[in-house]
Amino acid sequence: MTVQSYLEAGLSIIPCVRVEKRPAGWLLPIIQTSDGRGVRSWKPFQQRRPTETEVQAWLRRGWLQPRGKANALAVITGQVSGNLEVLDFDAPPLMKPWAAQIQAQVPGLLEQLPFVHTPSGGWHVYYRCPVVAGNQKLAVEYYQEETDTKPRVKTLIETRGEG
């Protein structure tokens, strides 16, 4: 997909640094914090999609250049992107059994959903729904290191929604 096709699909996007999985802050707008400081932030794009002028400025400043640091984009989920929600599989082995269950219960649905392989080896499955909640953990794993006094939680599957 091209940047333009993301925008035409009604998605809010921001420039990112792929290897660090974080927004390319130097390309983002400055917002005022509660203490009056100005900081670069992607938060405005949770409420509105970037303008064509902003996108063109990002591209002029090196966004998505093959050798550039800002070589990826992130899609902002929630109402701003037409009630977009994402299933985030951080445990790739769980994708196949999940997909088999979906195929058995709703044949043909998987072929309609975009799947994206993430840089960390996981998967994102995109869909739109009538109500988008905040992020929710759907599957977790408990583990404990020798030095831990209580178990830790590792998220295996979660939704990415509003916020």
PDB file of all heavy atoms in Angstrom, residues 73-104:
ATOM      1  N   LEU A  73       5.624   3.358   8.804  1.00  0.00           N
ATOM      2  CA  LEU A  73       4.485   4.140   9.271  1.00  0.00           C
ATOM      3  C   LEU A  73       3.703   3.305  10.262  1.00  0.00           C
ATOM      4  O   LEU A  73       3.771   2.087  10.262  1.00  0.00           O
ATOM      5  CB  LEU A  73       3.598   4.610   8.116  1.00  0.00           C
ATOM      6  CG  LEU A  73       2.874   3.592   7.246  1.00  0.00           C
ATOM      7  CD1 LEU A  73       1.591   3.124   7.898  1.00  0.00           C
ATOM      8  CD2 LEU A  73       2.545   4.231   5.913  1.00  0.00           C
ATOM      9  N   ALA A  74       2.999   3.995  11.131  1.00  0.00           N
ATOM     10  CA  ALA A  74       2.112   3.337  12.087  1.00  0.00           C
ATOM     11  C   ALA A  74       0.700   3.814  11.802  1.00  0.00           C
ATOM     12  O   ALA A  74       0.489   4.978  11.436  1.00  0.00           O
ATOM     13  CB  ALA A  74       2.504   3.686  13.516  1.00  0.00           C
ATOM     14  N   VAL A  75      -0.236   2.921  11.980  1.00  0.00           N
ATOM     15  CA  VAL A  75      -1.650   3.253  11.819  1.00  0.00           C
ATOM     16  C   VAL A  75      -2.228   3.456  13.214  1.00  0.00           C
ATOM     17  O   VAL A  75      -2.076   2.601  14.088  1.00  0.00           O
ATOM     18  CB  VAL A  75      -2.397   2.115  11.091  1.00  0.00           C
ATOM     19  CG1 VAL A  75      -3.879   2.421  11.015  1.00  0.00           C
ATOM     20  CG2 VAL A  75      -1.818   1.902   9.698  1.00  0.00           C
ATOM     21  N   ILE A  76      -2.888   4.596  13.415  1.00  0.00           N
ATOM     22  CA  ILE A  76      -3.523   4.894  14.694  1.00  0.00           C
ATOM     23  C   ILE A  76      -4.905   4.252  14.685  1.00  0.00           C
ATOM     24  O   ILE A  76      -5.692   4.473  13.767  1.00  0.00           O
ATOM     25  CB  ILE A  76      -3.652   6.418  14.918  1.00  0.00           C
ATOM     26  CG1 ILE A  76      -2.299   7.107  14.724  1.00  0.00           C
ATOM     27  CG2 ILE A  76      -4.255   6.712  16.283  1.00  0.00           C
ATOM     28  CD1 ILE A  76      -1.213   6.664  15.647  1.00  0.00           C
ATOM     29  N   THR A  77      -5.191   3.460  15.695  1.00  0.00           N
ATOM     30  CA  THR A  77      -6.476   2.777  15.769  1.00  0.00           C
ATOM     31  C   THR A  77      -7.504   3.644  16.488  1.00  0.00           C
ATOM     32  O   THR A  77      -7.181   4.687  17.030  1.00  0.00           O
ATOM     33  CB  THR A  77      -6.326   1.425  16.486  1.00  0.00           C
ATOM     34  OG1 THR A  77      -5.754   1.651  17.779  1.00  0.00           O
ATOM     35  CG2 THR A  77      -5.444   0.484  15.698  1.00  0.00           C
ATOM     36  N   GLY A  78      -8.747   3.210  16.465  1.00  0.00           N
ATOM     37  CA  GLY A  78      -9.817   3.910  17.166  1.00  0.00           C
ATOM     38  C   GLY A  78     -10.728   4.658  16.214  1.00  0.00           C
ATOM     39  O   GLY A  78     -10.713   4.449  14.993  1.00  0.00           O
ATOM     40  N   GLN A  79     -11.531   5.540  16.779  1.00  0.00           N
ATOM     41  CA  GLN A  79     -12.516   6.295  16.000  1.00  0.00           C
ATOM     42  C   GLN A  79     -11.880   7.098  14.882  1.00  0.00           C
ATOM     43  O   GLN A  79     -12.445   7.214  13.801  1.00  0.00           O
ATOM     44  CB  GLN A  79     -13.310   7.229  16.913  1.00  0.00           C
ATOM     45  CG  GLN A  79     -14.324   6.533  17.769  1.00  0.00           C
ATOM     46  CD  GLN A  79     -15.125   7.523  18.598  1.00  0.00           C
ATOM     47  OE1 GLN A  79     -14.659   8.600  18.959  1.00  0.00           O
ATOM     48  NE2 GLN A  79     -16.356   7.151  18.903  1.00  0.00           N
ATOM     49  N   VAL A  80     -10.698   7.652  15.138  1.00  0.00           N
ATOM     50  CA  VAL A  80     -10.046   8.510  14.151  1.00  0.00           C
ATOM     51  C   VAL A  80      -9.783   7.778  12.835  1.00  0.00           C
ATOM     52  O   VAL A  80      -9.721   8.392  11.778  1.00  0.00           O
ATOM     53  CB  VAL A  80      -8.744   9.126  14.721  1.00  0.00           C
ATOM     54  CG1 VAL A  80      -7.646   8.069  14.855  1.00  0.00           C
ATOM     55  CG2 VAL A  80      -8.272  10.300  13.884  1.00  0.00           C
ATOM     56  N   SER A  81      -9.659   6.467  12.905  1.00  0.00           N
ATOM     57  CA  SER A  81      -9.433   5.654  11.706  1.00  0.00           C
ATOM     58  C   SER A  81     -10.653   4.811  11.360  1.00  0.00           C
ATOM     59  O   SER A  81     -10.543   3.680  10.878  1.00  0.00           O
ATOM     60  CB  SER A  81      -8.195   4.759  11.905  1.00  0.00           C
ATOM     61  OG  SER A  81      -7.012   5.530  11.889  1.00  0.00           O
ATOM     62  N   GLY A  82     -11.838   5.370  11.595  1.00  0.00           N
ATOM     63  CA  GLY A  82     -13.066   4.690  11.212  1.00  0.00           C
ATOM     64  C   GLY A  82     -13.368   3.467  12.058  1.00  0.00           C
ATOM     65  O   GLY A  82     -13.777   2.436  11.534  1.00  0.00           O
ATOM     66  N   ASN A  83     -13.149   3.583  13.364  1.00  0.00           N
ATOM     67  CA  ASN A  83     -13.384   2.480  14.312  1.00  0.00           C
ATOM     68  C   ASN A  83     -12.510   1.263  14.009  1.00  0.00           C
ATOM     69  O   ASN A  83     -12.955   0.121  14.066  1.00  0.00           O
ATOM     70  CB  ASN A  83     -14.852   2.086  14.374  1.00  0.00           C
ATOM     71  CG  ASN A  83     -15.660   3.073  15.177  1.00  0.00           C
ATOM     72  OD1 ASN A  83     -15.138   4.078  15.666  1.00  0.00           O
ATOM     73  ND2 ASN A  83     -16.931   2.822  15.331  1.00  0.00           N
ATOM     74  N   LEU A  84     -11.264   1.535  13.717  1.00  0.00           N
ATOM     75  CA  LEU A  84     -10.302   0.476  13.433  1.00  0.00           C
ATOM     76  C   LEU A  84      -9.787  -0.116  14.741  1.00  0.00           C
ATOM     77  O   LEU A  84      -9.476   0.609  15.683  1.00  0.00           O
ATOM     78  CB  LEU A  84      -9.124   1.031  12.638  1.00  0.00           C
ATOM     79  CG  LEU A  84      -8.080   0.018  12.195  1.00  0.00           C
ATOM     80  CD1 LEU A  84      -8.650  -0.873  11.090  1.00  0.00           C
ATOM     81  CD2 LEU A  84      -6.833   0.733  11.699  1.00  0.00           C
ATOM     82  N   GLU A  85      -9.709  -1.429  14.767  1.00  0.00           N
ATOM     83  CA  GLU A  85      -9.137  -2.142  15.903  1.00  0.00           C
ATOM     84  C   GLU A  85      -8.168  -3.178  15.342  1.00  0.00           C
ATOM     85  O   GLU A  85      -8.308  -3.597  14.191  1.00  0.00           O
ATOM     86  CB  GLU A  85     -10.244  -2.811  16.719  1.00  0.00           C
ATOM     87  CG  GLU A  85      -9.822  -3.240  18.105  1.00  0.00           C
ATOM     88  CD  GLU A  85     -11.012  -3.626  18.966  1.00  0.00           C
ATOM     89  OE1 GLU A  85     -11.544  -4.727  18.766  1.00  0.00           O
ATOM     90  OE2 GLU A  85     -11.397  -2.820  19.832  1.00  0.00           O
ATOM     91  N   VAL A  86      -7.201  -3.571  16.138  1.00  0.00           N
ATOM     92  CA  VAL A  86      -6.190  -4.522  15.706  1.00  0.00           C
ATOM     93  C   VAL A  86      -6.049  -5.620  16.742  1.00  0.00           C
ATOM     94  O   VAL A  86      -5.992  -5.339  17.939  1.00  0.00           O
ATOM     95  CB  VAL A  86      -4.819  -3.823  15.511  1.00  0.00           C
ATOM     96  CG1 VAL A  86      -3.721  -4.826  15.215  1.00  0.00           C
ATOM     97  CG2 VAL A  86      -4.892  -2.789  14.414  1.00  0.00           C
ATOM     98  N   LEU A  87      -5.985  -6.858  16.278  1.00  0.00           N
ATOM     99  CA  LEU A  87      -5.557  -7.963  17.133  1.00  0.00           C
ATOM    100  C   LEU A  87      -4.042  -8.031  17.008  1.00  0.00           C
ATOM    101  O   LEU A  87      -3.505  -8.127  15.896  1.00  0.00           O
ATOM    102  CB  LEU A  87      -6.154  -9.293  16.673  1.00  0.00           C
ATOM    103  CG  LEU A  87      -7.584  -9.585  17.069  1.00  0.00           C
ATOM    104  CD1 LEU A  87      -8.031 -10.910  16.470  1.00  0.00           C
ATOM    105  CD2 LEU A  87      -7.736  -9.615  18.576  1.00  0.00           C
ATOM    106  N   ASP A  88      -3.359  -7.957  18.126  1.00  0.00           N
ATOM    107  CA  ASP A  88      -1.896  -7.935  18.159  1.00  0.00           C
ATOM    108  C   ASP A  88      -1.402  -9.254  18.742  1.00  0.00           C
ATOM    109  O   ASP A  88      -1.540  -9.507  19.930  1.00  0.00           O
ATOM    110  CB  ASP A  88      -1.444  -6.750  19.011  1.00  0.00           C
ATOM    111  CG  ASP A  88       0.056  -6.569  19.058  1.00  0.00           C
ATOM    112  OD1 ASP A  88       0.793  -7.364  18.452  1.00  0.00           O
ATOM    113  OD2 ASP A  88       0.506  -5.619  19.735  1.00  0.00           O
ATOM    114  N   PHE A  89      -0.865 -10.105  17.877  1.00  0.00           N
ATOM    115  CA  PHE A  89      -0.333 -11.403  18.285  1.00  0.00           C
ATOM    116  C   PHE A  89       1.166 -11.265  18.537  1.00  0.00           C
ATOM    117  O   PHE A  89       1.953 -11.191  17.602  1.00  0.00           O
ATOM    118  CB  PHE A  89      -0.558 -12.456  17.191  1.00  0.00           C
ATOM    119  CG  PHE A  89      -1.969 -12.923  17.055  1.00  0.00           C
ATOM    120  CD1 PHE A  89      -2.901 -12.178  16.340  1.00  0.00           C
ATOM    121  CD2 PHE A  89      -2.374 -14.110  17.641  1.00  0.00           C
ATOM    122  CE1 PHE A  89      -4.205 -12.612  16.210  1.00  0.00           C
ATOM    123  CE2 PHE A  89      -3.683 -14.558  17.508  1.00  0.00           C
ATOM    124  CZ  PHE A  89      -4.606 -13.799  16.801  1.00  0.00           C
ATOM    125  N   ASP A  90       1.552 -11.223  19.806  1.00  0.00           N
ATOM    126  CA  ASP A  90       2.978 -11.187  20.139  1.00  0.00           C
ATOM    127  C   ASP A  90       3.552 -12.593  20.274  1.00  0.00           C
ATOM    128  O   ASP A  90       4.753 -12.758  20.423  1.00  0.00           O
ATOM    129  CB  ASP A  90       3.205 -10.401  21.436  1.00  0.00           C
ATOM    130  CG  ASP A  90       3.014  -8.912  21.225  1.00  0.00           C
ATOM    131  OD1 ASP A  90       3.298  -8.418  20.110  1.00  0.00           O
ATOM    132  OD2 ASP A  90       2.575  -8.218  22.161  1.00  0.00           O
ATOM    133  N   ALA A  91       2.693 -13.600  20.248  1.00  0.00           N
ATOM    134  CA  ALA A  91       3.110 -15.003  20.281  1.00  0.00           C
ATOM    135  C   ALA A  91       2.702 -15.632  18.946  1.00  0.00           C
ATOM    136  O   ALA A  91       1.592 -16.135  18.796  1.00  0.00           O
ATOM    137  CB  ALA A  91       2.454 -15.723  21.452  1.00  0.00           C
ATOM    138  N   PRO A  92       3.580 -15.593  17.942  1.00  0.00           N
ATOM    139  CA  PRO A  92       3.234 -16.087  16.606  1.00  0.00           C
ATOM    140  C   PRO A  92       2.656 -17.508  16.563  1.00  0.00           C
ATOM    141  O   PRO A  92       1.771 -17.772  15.742  1.00  0.00           O
ATOM    142  CB  PRO A  92       4.554 -15.998  15.834  1.00  0.00           C
ATOM    143  CG  PRO A  92       5.327 -14.936  16.544  1.00  0.00           C
ATOM    144  CD  PRO A  92       4.937 -15.050  17.988  1.00  0.00           C
ATOM    145  N   PRO A  93       3.080 -18.434  17.418  1.00  0.00           N
ATOM    146  CA  PRO A  93       2.495 -19.782  17.349  1.00  0.00           C
ATOM    147  C   PRO A  93       0.983 -19.820  17.634  1.00  0.00           C
ATOM    148  O   PRO A  93       0.313 -20.783  17.272  1.00  0.00           O
ATOM    149  CB  PRO A  93       3.260 -20.567  18.422  1.00  0.00           C
ATOM    150  CG  PRO A  93       4.551 -19.852  18.570  1.00  0.00           C
ATOM    151  CD  PRO A  93       4.223 -18.400  18.350  1.00  0.00           C
ATOM    152  N   LEU A  94       0.445 -18.782  18.251  1.00  0.00           N
ATOM    153  CA  LEU A  94      -0.989 -18.756  18.540  1.00  0.00           C
ATOM    154  C   LEU A  94      -1.827 -18.323  17.330  1.00  0.00           C
ATOM    155  O   LEU A  94      -3.044 -18.505  17.322  1.00  0.00           O
ATOM    156  CB  LEU A  94      -1.273 -17.836  19.728  1.00  0.00           C
ATOM    157  CG  LEU A  94      -0.660 -18.276  21.055  1.00  0.00           C
ATOM    158  CD1 LEU A  94      -0.979 -17.266  22.147  1.00  0.00           C
ATOM    159  CD2 LEU A  94      -1.143 -19.661  21.432  1.00  0.00           C
ATOM    160  N   MET A  95      -1.181 -17.769  16.316  1.00  0.00           N
ATOM    161  CA  MET A  95      -1.910 -17.286  15.142  1.00  0.00           C
ATOM    162  C   MET A  95      -2.604 -18.424  14.395  1.00  0.00           C
ATOM    163  O   MET A  95      -3.782 -18.314  14.040  1.00  0.00           O
ATOM    164  CB  MET A  95      -0.954 -16.545  14.203  1.00  0.00           C
ATOM    165  CG  MET A  95      -1.566 -16.156  12.880  1.00  0.00           C
ATOM    166  SD  MET A  95      -2.952 -15.033  13.024  1.00  0.00           S
ATOM    167  CE  MET A  95      -2.105 -13.490  12.978  1.00  0.00           C
ATOM    168  N   LYS A  96      -1.908 -19.510  14.178  1.00  0.00           N
ATOM    169  CA  LYS A  96      -2.474 -20.613  13.388  1.00  0.00           C
ATOM    170  C   LYS A  96      -3.709 -21.230  14.054  1.00  0.00           C
ATOM    171  O   LYS A  96      -4.741 -21.396  13.400  1.00  0.00           O
ATOM    172  CB  LYS A  96      -1.402 -21.662  13.125  1.00  0.00           C
ATOM    173  CG  LYS A  96      -1.719 -22.582  11.993  1.00  0.00           C
ATOM    174  CD  LYS A  96      -0.517 -23.448  11.660  1.00  0.00           C
ATOM    175  CE  LYS A  96      -0.661 -24.037  10.284  1.00  0.00           C
ATOM    176  NZ  LYS A  96       0.518 -24.792   9.886  1.00  0.00           N
ATOM    177  N   PRO A  97      -3.684 -21.565  15.355  1.00  0.00           N
ATOM    178  CA  PRO A  97      -4.905 -22.110  15.968  1.00  0.00           C
ATOM    179  C   PRO A  97      -6.047 -21.102  16.012  1.00  0.00           C
ATOM    180  O   PRO A  97      -7.216 -21.469  15.843  1.00  0.00           O
ATOM    181  CB  PRO A  97      -4.476 -22.531  17.376  1.00  0.00           C
ATOM    182  CG  PRO A  97      -3.074 -22.129  17.545  1.00  0.00           C
ATOM    183  CD  PRO A  97      -2.543 -21.636  16.242  1.00  0.00           C
ATOM    184  N   TRP A  98      -5.724 -19.828  16.208  1.00  0.00           N
ATOM    185  CA  TRP A  98      -6.768 -18.789  16.186  1.00  0.00           C
ATOM    186  C   TRP A  98      -7.416 -18.752  14.800  1.00  0.00           C
ATOM    187  O   TRP A  98      -8.643 -18.738  14.681  1.00  0.00           O
ATOM    188  CB  TRP A  98      -6.172 -17.425  16.549  1.00  0.00           C
ATOM    189  CG  TRP A  98      -7.129 -16.309  16.347  1.00  0.00           C
ATOM    190  CD1 TRP A  98      -8.099 -15.884  17.214  1.00  0.00           C
ATOM    191  CD2 TRP A  98      -7.243 -15.468  15.193  1.00  0.00           C
ATOM    192  NE1 TRP A  98      -8.803 -14.833  16.672  1.00  0.00           N
ATOM    193  CE2 TRP A  98      -8.294 -14.559  15.431  1.00  0.00           C
ATOM    194  CE3 TRP A  98      -6.559 -15.388  13.978  1.00  0.00           C
ATOM    195  CZ2 TRP A  98      -8.670 -13.588  14.505  1.00  0.00           C
ATOM    196  CZ3 TRP A  98      -6.927 -14.427  13.061  1.00  0.00           C
ATOM    197  CH2 TRP A  98      -7.973 -13.545  13.320  1.00  0.00           C
ATOM    198  N   ALA A  99      -6.585 -18.718  13.762  1.00  0.00           N
ATOM    199  CA  ALA A  99      -7.103 -18.643  12.398  1.00  0.00           C
ATOM    200  C   ALA A  99      -7.963 -19.869  12.072  1.00  0.00           C
ATOM    201  O   ALA A  99      -8.996 -19.743  11.411  1.00  0.00           O
ATOM    202  CB  ALA A  99      -5.949 -18.515  11.406  1.00  0.00           C
ATOM    203  N   ALA A 100      -7.566 -21.029  12.555  1.00  0.00           N
ATOM    204  CA  ALA A 100      -8.355 -22.245  12.306  1.00  0.00           C
ATOM    205  C   ALA A 100      -9.731 -22.137  12.964  1.00  0.00           C
ATOM    206  O   ALA A 100     -10.740 -22.532  12.365  1.00  0.00           O
ATOM    207  CB  ALA A 100      -7.607 -23.471  12.825  1.00  0.00           C
ATOM    208  N   GLN A 101      -9.781 -21.596  14.168  1.00  0.00           N
ATOM    209  CA  GLN A 101     -11.075 -21.418  14.839  1.00  0.00           C
ATOM    210  C   GLN A 101     -11.957 -20.422  14.101  1.00  0.00           C
ATOM    211  O   GLN A 101     -13.161 -20.643  13.939  1.00  0.00           O
ATOM    212  CB  GLN A 101     -10.873 -20.959  16.281  1.00  0.00           C
ATOM    213  CG  GLN A 101     -10.403 -22.041  17.193  1.00  0.00           C
ATOM    214  CD  GLN A 101     -10.340 -21.569  18.645  1.00  0.00           C
ATOM    215  OE1 GLN A 101     -10.632 -20.430  18.960  1.00  0.00           O
ATOM    216  NE2 GLN A 101      -9.945 -22.480  19.520  1.00  0.00           N
ATOM    217  N   ILE A 102     -11.372 -19.329  13.649  1.00  0.00           N
ATOM    218  CA  ILE A 102     -12.140 -18.321  12.905  1.00  0.00           C
ATOM    219  C   ILE A 102     -12.662 -18.930  11.611  1.00  0.00           C
ATOM    220  O   ILE A 102     -13.827 -18.757  11.258  1.00  0.00           O
ATOM    221  CB  ILE A 102     -11.295 -17.055  12.622  1.00  0.00           C
ATOM    222  CG1 ILE A 102     -10.904 -16.368  13.927  1.00  0.00           C
ATOM    223  CG2 ILE A 102     -12.031 -16.109  11.683  1.00  0.00           C
ATOM    224  CD1 ILE A 102     -12.064 -15.904  14.786  1.00  0.00           C
ATOM    225  N   GLN A 103     -11.819 -19.649  10.894  1.00  0.00           N
ATOM    226  CA  GLN A 103     -12.225 -20.255   9.625  1.00  0.00           C
ATOM    227  C   GLN A 103     -13.368 -21.242   9.841  1.00  0.00           C
ATOM    228  O   GLN A 103     -14.299 -21.320   9.043  1.00  0.00           O
ATOM    229  CB  GLN A 103     -11.034 -20.946   8.953  1.00  0.00           C
ATOM    230  CG  GLN A 103     -11.324 -21.472   7.579  1.00  0.00           C
ATOM    231  CD  GLN A 103     -11.701 -20.384   6.575  1.00  0.00           C
ATOM    232  OE1 GLN A 103     -11.301 -19.234   6.689  1.00  0.00           O
ATOM    233  NE2 GLN A 103     -12.501 -20.749   5.582  1.00  0.00           N
ATOM    234  N   ALA A 104     -13.310 -21.999  10.945  1.00  0.00           N
ATOM    235  CA  ALA A 104     -14.359 -22.979  11.237  1.00  0.00           C
ATOM    236  C   ALA A 104     -15.681 -22.305  11.592  1.00  0.00           C
ATOM    237  O   ALA A 104     -16.755 -22.794  11.226  1.00  0.00           O
ATOM    238  CB  ALA A 104     -13.916 -23.896  12.378  1.00  0.00           C
TER     239      ALA A 104
END
